[in-house]
Amino acid sequence: MVTKEEVIQALKKVYDPEIPINIVDLGLIYNVEVKDDVVYIDMTMTSPACPMTFFVVALVRNAVLGLKGVRDVKVRLVWDPPWTPDRATEEGKKLLRKLYPWLFEK
């Protein structure tokens, strides 16, 4: 059976097409659960109006389906709480600050 850690490592290979940061470090992944051979992922986008939503969801599904022992992937888009740069990992925040310093101005 695949582990949550293996799923997260696969998701780190998926990048937001508009922001050169992987979706884990960007803070788009809210929850990962593995039940037998099905992986459940709660995720969000940087904006509910993101035109790349379905493309990113397809990238997520394909990345996880490529793992041995995964039969299906269920992705649920979550809008609450909304994404902010504060949801990024420390590595993600470092990259965001470098690319978009105004995001962290208060």
Side-chain angles (χ1 to χ4, degrees):
M1 186 166 86
V2 70
T3 66
K4 179 178 178 177
E5 291 75 26
E6 290 171 317
V7 172
I8 290 170
Q9 287 306 310
L11 293 174
K12 284 188 173 188
K13 296 176 184 173
V14 177
Y15 282 74
D16 183 298
E18 298 176 319
I19 304 171
I21 301 172
N22 73 68
I23 62 172
V24 173
D25 286 328
L26 196 51
L28 299 182
I29 302 300
Y30 284 5
N31 190 47
V32 172
E33 279 187 60
V34 178
K35 293 183 182 171
D36 298 320
D37 55 359
V38 179
V39 177
Y40 297 86
I41 300 170
D42 289 349
M43 65 174 291
T44 195
M45 302 300 293
T46 56
S47 165
C50 177
M52 301 302 289
T53 298
F54 295 106
F55 178 70
V56 174
V57 169
L59 291 175
V60 165
R61 285 184 45 74
N62 289 337
V64 178
L65 281 171
L67 296 172
K68 185 177 179 177
V70 176
R71 180 180 54 84
D72 198 8
V73 179
K74 306 286 186 185
V75 177
R76 183 172 71 124
L77 287 171
V78 178
W79 305 111
D80 187 29
W83 180 86
T84 70
D86 294 330
R87 297 198 65 83
T89 64
E90 287 308 312
E91 179 64 21
K93 287 176 187 171
K94 180 176 151 187
L95 293 168
L96 282 170
R97 278 188 188 97
K98 196 180 288 185
L99 293 166
Y100 313 103
W102 63 88
L103 288 176
F104 293 91
E105 293 174 1
K106 299 264 179 185

